[in-house]
Amino acid sequence: MTLPAFLNPRRIEGRIVALFLALLLIVQLASFAFIRQSIEANAEAAIDAKLATAGRMLQRLLVQQAAREQAAAELLAADYGFRQTLAKGQYEQVDIDTINSSLANSGERVGAALVAYADLDHRLVTATHAGAEQMLPLLSRKPDAELPPMLMIGSQVQQAVTVPVKAPVLMGHVLMGFAIDDVPLQDLKRLINVDAMFVTRSGGQGWQERVSLLEDGERAGVTSSISSLEAGPSAKRSWGDQQWRARLLELPLQEAPPTGSANSKDSPRFAAAMWASFDEEVAPYRQLQLMLLGLTLAGVAVFALGSVFTARRISEPIEQLARSAERLGRGDYETPIAASTSLGEVSELARAFETMRQDIRAREEQVRRLAFWDPLTGLPNREQFSQHLAERLAGDQHCSGAVLMLDLDRFKHVNDVLGHSFGDRLLCGVTERLHGLQIKGASQLARLGGDEFVLLLDGADEAAAQQAAAQILADFEAPVHIDDQTIDLGAGIGIALFPAHGREVSSLLARAELAMYAAKRRQSGSTVYHSALDAGSQESLSLLGELRRAIEGGELRLYLQPKVDLRRNQVLAAEALVRWQHPTRGLVPPMQFIPFAEQTGFIRALTAWVIEASAQAAHEAEQQGLPLKISVNLSTRDLLDQDLPAKVAAQIGRHGVGPQALCLEITESAIMDDPQRALQTLETLSSMGFKLSIDDFGTGYSSLAYLKRLPVDELKIDRSFVMAMERDADDAKIVRSTIELAHNLGLSVVAEGVETGKAWKLLAALGCDEGQGYFIGRPMPAEQFMDWLRAWQAPDLSEESIETVFAGLR
């Protein structure tokens, strides 16, 4: 059996109808539940307020009733005949029965349940009923509450009234007890329509009815529900077929005189239990809820019909559009698509299909443009640049040129702090800067993605490429101003030349990228690709093999550069440097093999060799009576080696020197690669007794962030600040601030780049601890260092003047 479309959940009609009806029912049911809950909550709050008001009103009624009873008692005590009877009983010896009869008659006239007479000593003379002794303490007690005193006499609760009798002098006191009746309860019912009863409780029993307006048929249910009620907020109770809220108002009851067997826990308690019908409170709203339910059902029916009609008007034209889409999918772009409905959205959809049919060819062209252009900056993208470069290389076999790849510094930080939209505007600003430079030979500028740009220079050699890179870096020295923000530009530029570095697009881009990362790592601005950067090249593999043979064949040389105590003018330490005495190339500069060793991981072997040679040199110096601390540089890979502390301990142990003979120097970049792991290694080395030093302090970005966490003993100020401080007051201030910072942290300071006697004298005046530089001594072979050390004498600096530099520091 086929279901109608509006009942089939697989069809759009059925889903629209089901969705509309489900939403309507959910909203109506939620509204109904919310209204019901609100009504019940408001009813409970109204009943609570009503019961609280009833409690206050009942107390006022009891006070008013006590006032009437007090007035009646005072009127009786003022009666002449009554006073004469009492006077005769005192002076003429009238018998007690006569007084008692007079008290009974008088009490009957005012409705008192108990009347008693006490003498001036508060002793009971006579009483009409037993229990009058409980009222005697009232004669010597001042009332301390607004409510009149109430007593439990027998099974009856009475309001007590005391009246002095004067004829004309005070003869005694009349004490009257008025039984609590249902008059206050009737008044309460009449005034506020709240039912109540007076109840008492003693011992461990529940509340027992004393006075109420209940009918016999409802008495059992009410009393059983109220028996466990406690004073405080109202509580929900049910008896019969209704819900009620009941509240207990405990009234003060004067305690009976203590006896030897009395137990305070069994003292009687007196209260008023009040209740109001919850069903009567919400009854006016029940009819409204029924009306809302009826309206909801009617709305569901009307809504169902309307949703079926709407679903059909939507589904039919959509089916027609589906058939048109199938034709378009088959490549039929000739048959027009007409709107066959008056529904605006569906008509717009039909017109959109028609526009799509007409504009497919134009859109294909637009897609092609998006594939070859960067939408943010309008520059060619990687694909277009690669094709352009490939055409250039294929068109002329003898062509030459350069690829410059540029990556901005701290761009991620700008994005994180100022947002991606600001970062996009910065990229557009950089694009305008690069366009405006008009670099000679530039044939295409492209954006590769992120903050990477690439520039193609036709006919450029290495000198021209470096000149173009310098032109870009010089322009970047001027900051970019966007809105109220000033952004300092910086970049690393990698240069790959063709055909020298290859004629394939992929290899040229890859090698330019390698050079770019090297430039950023060394903070050198720009770097030309060389094979040492590429651990996978044939030349690099050859260099790696030669380095291995250099260690095994004893081709490495240990050089030492002295470090002087600037205040005591003594050489106490030296920095260990490695040189490679190649059998055919001669003395290979460190920059030609150290970066390659770091990239390939061979730096660990070099470090091990330097530590071994330094330990041996320290031992020889000690044997010659020249104690010497030698500083050894550690690389990133060294710090990430968890076995480094054990290896160093084993090496110095073989030469009989202690940890105090070596100072291990680390750079900021070495720490930043894996700060947590590097910190663990440094803490282990420090605990073993090795002195730790931060090299090139101030040239990175994170020294201060990690300085307080690192277990270092020494800072080395980078030579770039020291060499310029004699003529640049800002550099001198940086040196002074660094020295003060280090000393405040309990660290010693070594200044690199001491090239003049004036620099020596200025550093000593600023409180620098040690100095290192060509003025003191150039790096020299370790075997020559001992002879140099014996012959060295501190220079005479008395003629050097530093007043002008100090003037600039003020």
Side-chain angles (χ1 to χ4, degrees), residues 11 27 39 107 139 163 177 206 337 380 402 421 469 544 556 610 620 629 640 660 678 685 721 732 741 801:
R11 301 291 300 273
V27 171
I39 289 173
L139 297 175
V163 181
I337 301 173
S421 60
L544 181 59
L556 298 183
V610 173
E620 292 175 358
K629 183 183 291 290
L640 298 183
Q660 69 279 0
L685 291 170
F721 301 112
L741 170 66
S801 175

Side-chain angles (χ1 to χ4, degrees), residues 149-152 157-158 200 251-256 267-270:
M150 288 181 281
L151 300 169
M152 186 74 180
V157 178
Q158 299 182 10
T200 59
L251 300 170
L253 192 65
Q254 300 290 334
E255 296 184 3
S267 299
R269 296 164 62 188
F270 178 56

Side-chain angles (χ1 to χ4, degrees), residues 201-204 262-269:
R201 183 177 189 175
S202 60
N263 189 342
S264 60
K265 295 184 179 179
D266 297 332
S267 299
R269 296 164 62 188

